[in-house]
Amino acid sequence: MGKSVNPDLAKARSQATFDPANLTNYLYGGPEKLRRKRYLPAFVFKELCTEMSLTDLCLIFLGLLTHVSDYLGLTLSIENMAAKEYKEEGFKSTDDMSREEAYEESMRRAVYTNKRVLQLNLQDQEEQYYFREIFVPGANPFALHYVMFKDAINTQGTEDQIQKWLPLAETYAVTGTYAQTELGHGTFLRGLETTAEYDVQREEFILNTPTITSSKFWPGALGKTANVAILNAKLITKGRNCGMQSFWVPLRHLETHQPLPGITVGDIGPKFGYHTSDNGFLQLNRVRIPRENMLMRYSKVLQDGTFVPPENDRLVYVPMTQFRFVVIGRSGWTLAKAVTVATRYSAVRRQSEITPGGGEVQILDFQTQQHKLFTQIASAYAMIIAAKAAKDLYDSAFSKMEKGNLEDLPMLHALTSSMKAFNTWEMATGVEQCRMACGGHGYLLASGIPQMYTDMVSACTYEGENTVMCLQAARFLNKCQEAANKGERLPQLTRFLQTSRLNISSSLDQDVDLNDIIAAYEFRAATVISEANARLNAGLAMGKSQSEAWNYASQLLVKAALAFSHWFTVRALIENMRGAGFDNSTETLLLQLAKLYALDGMLRYSGDFRKVG
Ligand SMILES: CCCCCCC/C=C/C(=O)SCCNC(=O)CCNC(=O)[C@H](O)C(C)(C)COP(=O)(O)OP(=O)(O)OC[C@H]1O[C@@H](n2cnc3c(N)ncnc32)[C@H](O)[C@@H]1OP(=O)(O)O
Ligand SMILES: Cc1cc2nc3c(=O)[nH]c(=O)nc-3n(C[C@H](O)[C@H](O)[C@H](O)COP(=O)(O)OP(=O)(O)OC[C@H]3O[C@@H](n4cnc5c(N)ncnc54)[C@H](O)[C@@H]3O)c2cc1C
């Protein structure tokens, strides 16, 4: 499929000092993964391209942009059954639709992709995501089903429960959500009020939302889509509160989709973004479920109501930790999409003159435009690469956990919490910078950037509000600092607290040494973490209780978590760029990009870096 490329864009591309294919293969995990990745959007494009409005064409191109792929000469060996079915319905833009219509259109597309994914037997989770993202570029009504609902079954269910429930989810015999947050509580999970009281006579749990504040509020898909929830509630058995446990709770009739007896459910109304996700509310009026519906991988309730506690009561939090990793990765790719749009636009937009009478220039020629965009290109690479590094740590820790070794759980919680906060805040700032760099056209929905922002900025809130997540990470970092103060052995990831020194060899008149950059970020993190610990201890010395002293030091504790994430990101970026086996021209460019990212960070946080010398 030929396409004419804007001459300014073609010229800009021709000036590249590296082969983009090297980078594309690296970012997507190698040529075979990339080929598969290109195959899917091209297939989608072929299925859709006859029934589209201009806006949709832009939206689809935006969706494709993240694949940075050229479809020339791609051959597709795939049956067209779906193409016929889809073309008859057409592919309508949701930009001018009401919320109801937009939800229905997204639901139509999502149901279509669910069917196609099964027909194409797409097993790979990443491929499924790419495929869906093209068809449903905004919030997908099945998002919770695809991720947290199935993850909760896989991580909290027994083998029997997984055997029983997972096939229902995989074939969409049921559609699920993850219902934890209540109207009165989102962060403070120990404050959740929904109860699951065990009735030993009938071997059932009685689920109840006793107050208005205990109503489940916010879960995606709860408003209209889901007919089952993995619902978190306070388990009460033999008169004792046994803390938050997870339960499989049918919500709607599988045939009529009407709420089941005792269930009041609906949509919470319009939101800042995420318009095609039906976030909902749920009230339970003494709804009964069998004992077998409690997810009992880690904790159990026996027939006589005896509660068997988990080896570690934090294991019930694993689905949130898992999903925080998804959010960490998606933040980098969202910024990558936004900065791709803004950079391409900056190559084709001519506005104003640099030299009077010299004619209007590509806005990419303005130093200010380059600073706006190149720093965001660097940030996108940094976030994507740091997410890969964090995932490697996660995978090794998770495989240990599956064998019962939980020693890395605190480190994993701290890493996911701080990186989720750092990446989503950096992504939100970066996407907004890309939107503004496109002037008025960046404010058009057709640019795609506004929806990227309004949808993804919610990631600063969901899956753990960012400030709270930083404080969670700071718990771990502060404990490590206390251990360092006593000369005790530290986890590998925080050993720098004992070893970091400021012996920078670079001088101002030479090109900065990359090892010095890592050392500077390490020393800054160590200093900020140590300062936060000192403030906490100062609070204690003033006679404050542990919790009052924690609150007294909390601003610095948040900074400590962010400085830790920033160091982790810079180190991952530089070490992966050096070790990726690129040809010289590509490696030179990427190390330049890494320096730009790190030095820009020093400018943005110059107070920290000046203070530590
Ligand atoms: C893009 C695709 C679609 C997107 C759709 C959006 C989907 C969104 C879904 C959701 O938002 S689901 C709901 C998410 N909700 C949360 O994340 C709640 C956040 N709050 C918490 O996690 C906890 O309440 C807390 C803030 C961590 C506090 O925990 P707690 O009240 O128990 O008190 P603490 O004393 O602070 O912690 C106790 C102890 O437990 C450790 N810990 C806490 N969480 C975890 C965890 N996830 N993993 C491991 N360990 C954990 C914590 O570190 C403490 O340990 P110590 O420090 O004392 O050793
Ligand atoms: C788009 C979207 C989708 C969502 N999807 C789901 C879902 O599918 N399932 C689900 O269960 N939930 C979902 N949620 C809910 C989400 O998990 C909660 O909103 C989130 O956990 C934050 O809790 P909260 O809303 O109660 O905010 P709060 O915790 O009330 O935060 C308000 C303010 O209080 C501060 N604060 C709170 N606690 C502390 C503390 N200990 N120390 C310092 N400051 C503190 C916060 O920093 C914040 O500034 C979703 C939310 C959104 C926006």
Side-chain angles (χ1 to χ4, degrees), residues 144 178 180-181 186-187 218-220 279 458 461-462 465 467-468 471:
L144 266 294
Y178 182 82
Q180 173 176 287
T181 303
T187 289
W218 271 112
N279 300 82
S458 54
T461 304
Y462 64 59
E465 197 280 329
T467 304
V468 171
L471 291 169

Side-chain angles (χ1 to χ4, degrees), residues 40 44 109-110 113-114 117-118 122 124-138 140 142-143 145-147 150 170 172 330:
L40 295 169
V44 167
R109 298 182 199 179
T113 53
N114 293 345
V117 163
L118 290 175
L122 290 184
D124 180 281
Q125 288 245 342
E126 241 182 10
E127 288 189 1
Q128 292 180 7
Y129 172 69
Y130 297 142
F131 190 79
R132 291 181 187 125
E133 193 196 28
I134 302 288
F135 273 93
V136 193
N140 189 316
F142 285 84
H145 178 90
Y146 299 138
V147 192
K150 291 202 288 191
E170 298 288 3
Y172 302 96
R330 295 230 177 125

Side-chain angles (χ1 to χ4, degrees), residues 321-367:
T321 303
Q322 272 194 320
F323 192 56
R324 285 168 192 148
F325 262 109
V326 172
V327 177
I328 291 167
R330 295 230 177 125
S331 304
W333 285 107
T334 300
L335 180 57
K337 198 168 12 174
V339 75
T340 301
V341 173
T343 305
R344 289 176 61 152
Y345 178 74
S346 301
V348 303
R349 175 70 167 180
R350 286 185 172 272
Q351 194 70 201
S352 312
E353 296 179 332
I354 291 179
T355 310
E360 291 196 270
V361 298
Q362 293 163 279
I363 56 175
L364 197 51
D365 288 344
F366 291 112
Q367 177 82 17

Side-chain angles (χ1 to χ4, degrees), residues 279-537:
N279 300 82
F281 67 85
L282 165 68
Q283 290 175 328
L284 300 152
N285 181 11
R286 305 190 64 73
V287 172
R288 286 179 171 268
I289 58 174
R291 181 178 68 90
E292 294 74 21
N293 277 31
M294 175 175 152
L295 280 73
M296 296 204 206
R297 185 188 195 116
Y298 296 116
S299 46
K300 296 179 179 19
V301 171
L302 306 182
Q303 283 174 297
D304 67 356
T306 304
F307 175 65
V308 180
E311 185 194 336
N312 181 317
D313 59 3
R314 294 149 203 184
L315 287 165
V316 72
Y317 293 149
V318 165
M320 290 185 282
T321 303
Q322 272 194 320
F323 192 56
R324 285 168 192 148
F325 262 109
V326 172
V327 177
I328 291 167
R330 295 230 177 125
S331 304
W333 285 107
T334 300
L335 180 57
K337 198 168 12 174
V339 75
T340 301
V341 173
T343 305
R344 289 176 61 152
Y345 178 74
S346 301
V348 303
R349 175 70 167 180
R350 286 185 172 272
Q351 194 70 201
S352 312
E353 296 179 332
I354 291 179
T355 310
E360 291 196 270
V361 298
Q362 293 163 279
I363 56 175
L364 197 51
D365 288 344
F366 291 112
Q367 177 82 17
T368 50
Q369 192 78 359
Q370 291 177 15
H371 181 259
K372 286 174 193 172
L373 298 178
F374 295 175
T375 50
Q376 295 311 327
I377 292 174
S379 183
Y381 270 91
M383 285 203 267
I384 290 168
I385 288 162
K388 288 174 191 270
K391 186 76 173 58
D392 293 345
L393 269 179
Y394 173 85
D395 289 343
S396 67
F398 205 70
S399 62
K400 282 164 72 176
M401 274 164 53
E402 287 189 315
K403 296 177 188 110
N405 178 344
L406 302 180
E407 66 179 356
D408 289 344
L409 192 56
M411 175 278 291
L412 210 50
H413 173 46
L415 183 67
T416 49
S417 300
S418 57
M419 287 297 287
K420 182 265 185 190
F422 180 77
N423 272 21
T424 52
W425 267 330
E426 290 289 295
M427 173 271 302
T429 310
V431 170
E432 180 60 354
Q433 173 137 308
C434 293
R435 184 191 64 76
M436 290 190 278
C438 296
H441 299 341
Y443 198 65
L444 272 176
L445 287 183
S447 76
I449 302 180
Q451 183 177 334
M452 289 180 213
Y453 183 81
T454 54
D455 280 355
M456 273 305 279
V457 73
S458 54
C460 297
T461 304
Y462 64 59
E463 217 45 65
E465 197 280 329
N466 278 0
T467 304
V468 171
M469 291 296 101
C470 287
L471 291 169
Q472 279 297 300
R475 287 177 74 108
F476 172 77
L477 296 172
N478 187 59
K479 281 189 188 144
C480 292
Q481 183 61 57
E482 288 290 343
N485 296 345
K486 297 169 194 158
E488 295 169 1
R489 183 173 164 74
L490 295 184
Q492 173 63 38
L493 194 60
T494 54
R495 265 190 211 135
F496 70 87
L497 293 176
Q498 291 167 315
T499 59
S500 181
R501 297 292 175 272
L502 191 64
N503 50 2
I504 301 290
S505 58
S506 303
S507 60
L508 285 180
D509 60 357
Q510 70 187 77
D511 193 7
V512 67
D513 178 291
L514 288 163
N515 293 323
D516 285 343
I517 287 180
I518 295 175
Y521 271 85
E522 189 178 85
F523 191 73
R524 175 248 189 150
T527 306
V528 177
I529 292 167
S530 166
E531 276 180 358
N533 174 259
R535 178 146 174 109
L536 182 64
N537 290 327

Side-chain angles (χ1 to χ4, degrees), residues 129-293:
Y129 172 69
Y130 297 142
F131 190 79
R132 291 181 187 125
E133 193 196 28
I134 302 288
F135 273 93
V136 193
N140 189 316
F142 285 84
L144 266 294
H145 178 90
Y146 299 138
V147 192
M148 294 195 79
F149 178 71
K150 291 202 288 191
D151 284 352
I153 296 168
N154 270 319
T155 58
Q156 307 294 307
T158 62
E159 281 315 311
D160 288 348
Q161 289 174 326
I162 294 170
Q163 297 301 327
K164 180 173 140 191
W165 291 331
L166 202 57
L168 299 177
E170 298 288 3
T171 58
Y172 302 96
V174 298
T175 306
T177 183
Y178 182 82
Q180 173 176 287
T181 303
E182 296 174 357
L183 183 65
H185 290 94
T187 289
F188 189 59
L189 298 188
R190 281 179 286 158
L192 292 181
E193 297 173 83
T194 301
T195 54
E197 199 165 352
Y198 186 63
D199 173 354
V200 69
Q201 305 306 323
R202 291 175 53 176
E203 294 187 24
E204 291 173 336
F205 294 105
I206 303 166
L207 296 169
N208 203 31
T209 50
T211 60
I212 185 75
T213 49
S214 63
S215 310
K216 290 301 177 186
F217 196 91
W218 271 112
L222 195 51
K224 299 179 182 70
T225 310
N227 46 35
V228 175
I230 296 295
L231 180 131
N232 287 346
K234 218 169 28 181
L235 168 65
I236 297 167
T237 178
K238 296 190 173 183
R240 198 175 125 238
N241 173 2
C242 302
M244 184 175 92
Q245 306 299 328
S246 299
F247 302 84
W248 170 283
V249 182
L251 302 173
R252 293 182 168 95
H253 190 283
L254 295 186
E255 300 301 325
T256 67
H257 206 60
Q258 289 307 304
L260 295 172
I263 301 264
T264 306
V265 67
D267 190 280
I268 62 173
K271 305 181 288 285
F272 179 68
Y274 231 54
H275 302 306
T276 51
S277 169
D278 54 316
N279 300 82
F281 67 85
L282 165 68
Q283 290 175 328
L284 300 152
N285 181 11
R286 305 190 64 73
V287 172
R288 286 179 171 268
I289 58 174
R291 181 178 68 90
E292 294 74 21
N293 277 31

